[in-house]
Amino acid sequence: MSRGRIYYGLGVFFGLLLLSWVFFLLSFLRRARFFHPTGVVYSAMAYPAPGLASVMGVEVAERLSGCALVRFSGGLFKQHGREVKTDSLGLGLRFHGQPGPCTTNAPGGQDLFLVSFHSFGAIAQDIKATNRDDYLANTYWAITPYEVKGLGRVSLRIIASGAGARGLSRDERLEDAVRSGAATLRLEMAPWGTDDYQPLTEVRLDSQVELEDELRLTPHAAGRGLRPIGFLQGLRVFPYAASHLARRLCQGTPRRSLGSGIQLPLPEPRASQRMNVNVPPAFSSRSEGRERVVG
């Protein structure tokens, strides 16, 4: 067993012992997630990024390909955009490959958690630099490592397309960008401790789905080859589960979660979105020029 997995186990233990009840209580009082309390969820399609440099990278990208869910959210506050002067943003992904969205972790699923700051040491600076009014105008980082067989420890980040669509709020800007076909994300991977990021997967957002209350992303879901390791990765396993339980109790009788065998009908795509799903998305030159790497 690697040192990273040992630290992960220690994190799980201390998270259960010290933090689970805190997250449960605060989520129950808040009637929402403790971190990233409110957000929006979109269905998406993932493709291997062109120009992958390693065979192992190609294998991981192929496993991530297919249907996905993407959740955008604020960091600490419930407000949507302009009411909050300073906040981080969060981005959660579920690569599930099911024909319809699934709100719980299905066998073989992969969940990723990213935020708009690249380390705890730079959190104050990066939060100030976060564009809280536009989800697509930021870079998102997985601030804890993952392990890939054959590659070892890696770090992940997502470069958003920076579409900058018009709208009164960040939710409206995102919706307008999706409607115009300009909302894409690029997942990149680098050896842990380096900045040698290489494109791994392109994710194209398709349409909004009403799964904000039901969606449960789980830190230990690693069915596509990206295994969470390290103390901080393990630390959030039970607190996240406790937060979910508190929200279910607040809602009374919970609605049935959508597992791998239950499908939710998706909205009919607009004419501009009826494209060949086998053709990977491409960042336009306009969008590339708007990319901003936080930190």
Side-chain angles (χ1 to χ4, degrees):
M1 181 180 294
S2 68
R3 181 180 299 179
R5 295 302 296 174
I6 294 174
Y7 287 151
Y8 179 87
L10 289 174
V12 171
F13 174 76
F14 282 103
L16 173 62
L17 186 66
L18 300 177
L19 295 180
S20 294
W21 65 272
V22 177
F23 273 64
F24 178 88
L25 178 61
L26 294 178
S27 297
F28 187 84
L29 294 175
R30 197 176 198 187
R31 306 182 69 85
R33 297 170 177 87
F34 179 41
F35 290 128
H36 311 292
T38 56
V40 289
V41 181
Y42 281 80
S43 62
M45 187 67 68
Y47 310 85
L52 288 169
S54 68
V55 175
M56 294 306 302
V58 171
E59 292 181 1
V60 175
E62 289 178 346
R63 288 197 293 268
L64 294 176
S65 298
C67 297
L69 292 174
V70 183
R71 180 180 185 263
F72 294 89
S73 63
L76 290 173
F77 302 101
K78 290 185 177 182
Q79 292 93 334
H80 294 272
R82 293 186 179 181
E83 298 88 346
V84 180
K85 293 183 178 180
T86 303
D87 195 10
S88 65
L89 297 178
L91 194 159
L93 290 99
R94 165 164 293 158
F95 299 94
H96 59 87
Q98 303 294 331
C102 56
T103 59
T104 57
N105 179 38
Q110 177 80 58
D111 290 355
L112 300 177
F113 299 83
L114 302 96
V115 290
S116 61
F117 55 90
H118 72 275
S119 70
F120 287 108
I123 186 171
Q125 176 183 351
D126 287 353
I127 286 180
K128 289 181 180 178
T130 296
N131 185 342
R132 67 189 185 281
D133 295 324
D134 193 339
Y135 288 121
L136 297 178
N138 296 279
T139 295
Y140 299 85
W141 310 77
I143 56 177
T144 51
Y146 287 82
E147 187 175 62
V148 178
K149 185 178 180 180
L151 295 177
R153 293 195 302 168
V154 300
S155 55
L156 303 173
R157 75 178 182 187
I158 280 183
I159 304 289
S161 55
R166 294 182 179 180
L168 297 178
S169 70
R170 61 195 182 201
D171 290 352
E172 291 181 2
R173 291 189 180 95
L174 179 60
E175 184 179 2
D176 289 344
V178 172
R179 186 181 297 114
S180 65
T184 52
L185 308 171
R186 184 171 65 221
L187 176 63
E188 298 182 341
M189 180 173 67
W192 180 254
T194 75
D195 290 324
D196 186 21
Y197 283 94
Q198 301 295 327
L200 181 66
T201 301
E202 307 280 7
V203 180
R204 180 175 63 221
L205 275 64
D206 291 331
S207 58
Q208 186 174 355
V209 290
E210 298 300 328
L211 295 177
E212 168 63 12
D213 292 334
E214 294 87 351
L215 181 62
R216 179 187 176 188
L217 298 173
T218 54
H220 60 273
R224 303 297 173 98
L226 294 166
R227 297 182 63 190
I229 59 172
F231 183 81
L232 292 177
Q233 290 273 32
L235 192 65
R236 60 189 177 187
V237 171
F238 280 106
Y240 279 28
S243 176
H244 176 72
L245 176 60
R247 289 187 288 114
R248 289 180 62 182
L249 292 176
C250 288
Q251 294 168 1
T253 303
R255 282 180 275 179
R256 188 179 179 186
S257 295
L258 296 177
S260 57
I262 307 172
Q263 299 180 17
L264 183 76
L266 295 177
E268 177 69 17
R270 300 174 180 85
S272 62
Q273 293 177 314
R274 295 192 183 102
M275 58 188 73
N276 188 346
V277 297
N278 294 316
V279 178
F283 285 86
S284 66
S285 58
R286 174 178 176 268
S287 297
E288 286 286 353
R290 293 178 63 92
E291 289 178 7
R292 177 175 65 80
V293 177
V294 178

